[in-house]
Amino acid sequence: MRAESAAAARTGAFVAVALALFCIQLDFFALNLALPGISAELGVTVSAAQWTLSAYMLAIGCFFIVGGRVGDVFGRRGTLLAGIALFTAGSVGCALAPGLGLLVAARIAQGVGAAFVFPVSVSVITNTFPEQTRARALGAVFGVANIGTALGPFVGGGFTEGPGWRWIFWLMVPLSLLALLAALAYVPDSRDASAPRELDLLGCALIVCSLAAVTLAVERGDAWGWDGARTLAFLAVAVVTGGLFLVRERLARHPLVDLRLFRNVPYVLVTGMGSLSNMGFCVTVFLTTLYLQGVRGLSPLLAGTVFLAPALLVAIALAGTAAGISAMTPQRPPEEAYDAILRLGGVVILATAVVVMAVRHRLVALGRIPPLSMRAHGDAEQERGRRP
């Protein structure tokens, strides 16, 4: 009976975390294709509508560290519940928003909720599953999340072309509520026993200000001018508050971030490369959605369909990784397995990029496919027809 109860708890915790991450990924990647629809309905430019994406990512970036620390200090279960609840409330706000300002505010609420969910999700799974099945469970969780990545552009394009972009957020509401109920029923509480129940509020404020300022400066630098007063002012605020954050973390009795981690060279390299890879992935998806619609002339639904195959492969490049870790760990320490898989993954990514670029260059040279800069066939014909 106890074994059955433990298995049900593990299943419930898995559903809660996987579904929450699925919603977060689906929400972000679905909205990329909805920007033209949002700008048309709300009467704003596409550049202004882009704030619905920027505000979401800004909130995640600013509160990610805070969310992780809150989970360590006050408990991961409560942090997960608060994050999912805030994300759900933000989804309702986005669906009902009458204008861009309220839509962006609701997106910020969604982002803060997501920032509380992300860092505690791994800890929840780690503390719920035994060591023998932990890697497989984590791989499955992130596989489900990447199904959200795969379906995001497809769902966003379909809703934008069909009933409207607001239905992206209405879809999030029941899914998020289901994740909330599963977490409420099955996720056990856990916390870092060595962490005192004290939060470095000043450190939280400083890091949020620093990240928000640098993001705003980069986001609006082109419009304001990179040497403009507002851009330079925000960059100065970012540098000053970032410096004060480092000083605060050195002096605080219970710092938000243990700066000694950055003396660990492997940790810095893995974190840095992971950040760059994630940034490149998000930028690629964003630009590709605009390219497919604006240059190739694809409909939102068809543009979203393009992303299904590569994102599905990502969900499979995760399930395989989890299986590889499970197969390797009985014979060797986990750190050796992780190192081997990271090295292999880096080689595969580099080799694949080289092969894809070489094949595309050859096909363009043979006239089999058009270059990236060429517009859709109909547009190109029209352009040629206008020329004298």
Side-chain angles (χ1 to χ4, degrees):
M1 190 67 179
R2 184 176 297 177
E4 293 179 358
S5 177
R10 287 194 293 269
T11 302
F14 174 86
V15 169
V17 171
L19 191 53
L21 293 178
F22 172 86
C23 290
I24 291 169
Q25 294 293 99
L26 179 69
D27 181 71
F28 174 74
F29 289 100
L31 211 64
N32 278 283
L33 285 160
L35 290 182
I38 292 173
S39 66
E41 180 178 330
L42 301 182
V44 297
T45 63
V46 174
S47 178
Q50 184 184 334
W51 272 102
T52 57
L53 298 178
S54 300
Y56 184 69
M57 296 305 294
L58 173 62
I60 292 178
C62 290
F63 287 90
F64 195 92
I65 296 175
V66 178
R69 186 59 178 170
V70 168
D72 289 340
V73 174
F74 299 107
R76 283 122 187 185
R77 181 177 186 270
T79 304
L80 181 66
L81 290 172
I84 298 175
L86 186 57
F87 181 85
T88 306
S91 299
V92 175
C94 289
L96 297 174
L100 183 62
L102 289 177
L103 178 59
V104 169
R107 288 287 286 170
I108 291 174
Q110 276 191 312
V112 174
F116 275 62
V117 171
F118 265 124
V120 301
S121 297
V122 173
S123 299
V124 167
I125 296 298
T126 300
N127 284 280
T128 304
F129 284 80
E131 186 176 357
Q132 296 84 350
T133 58
R134 191 174 296 157
R136 189 169 299 171
L138 285 171
V141 162
F142 288 110
V144 172
N146 273 277
I147 293 175
T149 303
L151 293 177
F154 180 76
V155 171
F159 279 141
T160 301
E161 198 169 329
W165 57 268
R166 294 180 186 273
W167 282 94
I168 297 172
F169 301 109
W170 284 127
L171 176 64
M172 295 298 105
V173 176
L175 295 178
S176 301
L177 284 175
L178 182 58
L180 183 63
L181 292 175
L184 191 63
Y186 294 107
V187 171
D189 199 12
S190 64
R191 60 170 52 88
D192 185 354
S194 64
R197 303 196 64 170
E198 180 180 327
L199 189 63
D200 180 16
L201 295 177
L202 179 57
C204 291
L206 288 172
I207 190 62
V208 167
C209 287
S210 181
L211 292 174
V214 73
T215 304
L216 283 170
V218 172
E219 172 68 26
R220 303 303 297 167
D222 189 53
W224 293 341
W226 292 106
D227 57 349
R230 283 182 290 183
T231 304
L232 296 177
F234 274 108
L235 289 174
V237 169
V239 171
V240 171
T241 53
L244 291 175
F245 172 74
L246 295 178
V247 173
R248 170 64 182 176
E249 297 309 286
R250 285 181 174 275
L251 299 179
R253 186 173 58 174
H254 305 298
L256 189 66
V257 177
D258 187 353
L259 297 180
R260 291 175 297 180
L261 280 173
F262 296 97
R263 299 176 187 171
N264 186 327
V265 176
Y267 169 82
V268 172
L269 290 176
V270 170
T271 302
M273 292 306 298
S275 300
L276 289 174
S277 299
N278 192 46
M279 180 175 65
F281 177 70
C282 292
V283 169
T284 300
V285 171
F286 173 71
L287 290 179
T288 303
T289 56
L290 297 180
Y291 168 78
L292 290 174
Q293 293 181 82
V295 178
R296 292 299 182 197
L298 272 62
S299 68
L301 179 59
L302 190 56
T305 307
V306 171
F307 288 92
L308 286 177
L312 183 61
L313 289 176
V314 171
I316 295 174
L318 283 171
T321 298
I325 292 173
S326 299
M328 295 169 67
T329 44
Q331 291 81 25
R332 61 180 70 185
E335 57 270 19
E336 290 187 12
Y338 301 152
D339 183 66
I341 290 175
L342 284 172
R343 291 175 185 272
L344 176 63
V347 171
V348 170
I349 290 171
L350 181 61
T352 303
V354 171
V355 170
V356 168
M357 293 302 295
V359 170
R360 176 167 183 81
H361 179 75
R362 180 62 177 166
L363 291 175
V364 170
L366 293 174
R368 301 286 181 83
I369 60 174
L372 290 174
S373 59
M374 183 178 292
R375 286 187 173 271
H377 179 72
D379 292 341
E381 291 295 330
Q382 290 179 9
E383 288 295 325
R384 282 196 291 269
R386 293 191 189 103
R387 291 175 186 171

